[in-house]
């Protein structure tokens, strides 16, 4: 796999045959992509969101099987770092779980020359709450209780508020170890946006990429948070669903006021994403979610992971590979398999618009 190493003022990409290998959430013997309009050459560097890491591994593996002259590297450093590297022209695209506000994040001179940075939704999913509580196979929480747990207002698993939501459960008298991201993260921003919207009287912190809650423990990146939860009794953390599946972590069902508490699955996340509205202007496709939904079968803590690119002013040496690869990831061939690796495919109406915008990149 091609990797990136920091070198003083930027990033040095070490290119090789890009074998992303397999994880427990990535099919190891998937067939080669049959429908990709391949670029004839190019090395395409990207970095950013850890939430889309497992989807990116799958896409790169499939695309390179179909289009062997092209080499693609994706470094999962977190959304914040991905935005910074793209804005500094270290990458051809960035991955972020929260859309870039170009009024607050201006690219360096020469980046997107004659154009602007745009957000393209590419993969959806649920932000699962994975937990490790001995003897507890099913756990239901609501927004207020989640907010209190992650703000250190509820500190024991046998707290009356948790027992009320889980009658009959054998909840231990065990300290809660709430794990959050230490790095700037779009997953964190989406999770805090949910808490601020669904539990506004409890969670009175801004929805920033940096963690705002009180107390708790921290780890850098989704992999590290999931690993910390899996290895520590009494812990709970948030991460994209594929990280929970890879570590066989149990996940919380959320009481939204629907007829039944809602589990995090690709189908329930897709229901949440389908209700989103496009609020971006021009070619920008920023989406807005309803975190307070109480619709049956609709998981409320969802995210869409975006690729950030230039609408005009992309580097000539990477543009053909960029358009080819993103056209594939937004295609039926790129989207349909996502549910098998615990992601939520984009609604076709959104994916079709993404493909249209990708075709116009210059």
């Amino acid at each position: 796999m091609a990797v990136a190493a920091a070198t003083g003022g930027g990033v040095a990409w070490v290119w090789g045959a890009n074998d992303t290998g397999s994880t427990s959430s990535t099919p190891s013997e998937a067939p080669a992509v049959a429908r990709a309009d391949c670029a004839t050459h190019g090395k395409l560097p990207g970095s950013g969101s850890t939430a889309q890491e497992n989807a990116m591994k799958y896409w790169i593996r499939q695309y390179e099987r179909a289009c062997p002259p092209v080499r693609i590297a994706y470094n999962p450093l977190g959304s914040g770092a991905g935005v910074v590297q793209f804005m500094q022209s270290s990458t051809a695209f960035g991955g972020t779980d929260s859309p870039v506000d170009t009024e607050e994040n201006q690219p360096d001179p020469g980046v997107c020359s004659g154009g602007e940075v745009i957000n393209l939704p590419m993969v959806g999913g649920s932000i699962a709450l994975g937990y490790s509580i001995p003897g507890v196979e099913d756990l239901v929480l609501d927004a207020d209780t989640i907010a209190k747990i992650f703000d250190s207002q509820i500190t024991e698993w046998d707290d009356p508020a948790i027992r009320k939501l889980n009658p009959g459960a054998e909840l231990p008298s065990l300290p809660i170890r709430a794990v959050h991201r230490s790095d700037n993260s779009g997953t964190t921003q989406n999770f805090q946006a949910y808490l601020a919207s669904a539990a506004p009287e409890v969670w009175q912190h801004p929805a920033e990429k940096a963690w705002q809650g009180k107390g708790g423990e921290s780890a850098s990146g989704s992999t590290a948070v999931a690993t910390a939860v899996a290895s520590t009794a009494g812990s709970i953390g948030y991460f994209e669903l594929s990280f929970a599946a890879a570590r066989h972590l149990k996940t919380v069902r959320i009481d939204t006021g629907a007829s039944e508490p809602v589990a995090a699955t690709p189908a329930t996340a897709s229901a949440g994403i389908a209700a989103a509205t496009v609020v971006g202007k021009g070619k920008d496709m920023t989406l807005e979610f309803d975190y307070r939904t109480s619709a049956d079968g609709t998981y409320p803590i969802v995210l869409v992971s975006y690729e950030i690119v230039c609408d005009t002013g992309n580097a000539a040496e990477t543009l053909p590979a960029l358009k080819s690869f993103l056209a594939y990831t937004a295609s039926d061939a790129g989207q349909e398999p996502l549910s098998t690796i615990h992601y939520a495919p984009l609604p076709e109406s959104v994916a079709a618009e993404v493909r249209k915008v990708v075709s116009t990149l210059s």
Side-chain angles (χ1 to χ4, degrees), residues 191-312:
F191 181 49
Q192 294 188 122
Y194 160 74
L195 294 175
S197 178
E201 294 183 1
V202 178
W203 192 266
Q204 298 184 359
H205 306 294
E208 304 286 350
K209 287 184 178 179
W211 181 250
Q212 303 293 309
K214 300 174 184 175
E217 302 177 13
S218 65
S220 181
S222 296
T223 296
V225 173
T227 299
V229 172
S231 62
T232 308
S235 59
I236 185 171
Y238 60 91
F239 28 76
E240 194 278 325
L241 180 60
S242 66
F243 291 91
R247 288 156 186 79
H248 307 289
L249 284 168
K250 301 175 186 68
T251 58
V252 170
R253 292 191 298 140
I254 298 181
D255 183 350
T256 64
S259 61
E260 294 288 340
V262 185
T265 69
T268 60
S270 288
I273 294 166
T277 56
V278 177
V279 295
K281 305 299 183 184
K283 294 181 180 180
D284 183 80
M285 292 192 61
T286 297
L287 300 177
E288 187 173 81
F289 301 107
D290 177 12
Y291 294 113
R292 299 174 67 94
T293 180
S294 59
D296 284 350
T298 302
Y299 190 75
I301 321 177
V302 293
L303 61 76
V304 162
S305 204
Y306 298 83
E307 313 310 335
I308 54 172
V309 297
C310 303
D311 62 350
T312 298

Side-chain angles (χ1 to χ4, degrees), residues 323-339:
K323 294 177 70 172
S324 172
F325 179 61
L326 296 186
Y328 156 64
T329 61
S331 72
D332 290 345
Q335 290 290 311
E336 287 177 358
L338 290 178
S339 60

Side-chain angles (χ1 to χ4, degrees), residues 72-124:
I72 303 169
Y74 183 77
N75 199 5
L77 300 173
S79 296
V83 171
V84 169
Q85 289 196 345
F86 177 78
M87 296 297 194
Q88 294 176 344
S89 196
S90 297
T91 56
F93 69 97
T96 177
D97 304 326
S98 57
V100 172
D101 183 342
T102 54
E103 293 184 0
E104 297 179 2
N105 297 273
Q106 291 292 328
D108 287 356
V111 178
C112 299
S113 179
E116 59 185 16
V117 178
I118 58 172
N119 299 280
L120 297 179
M122 199 60 70
V123 57

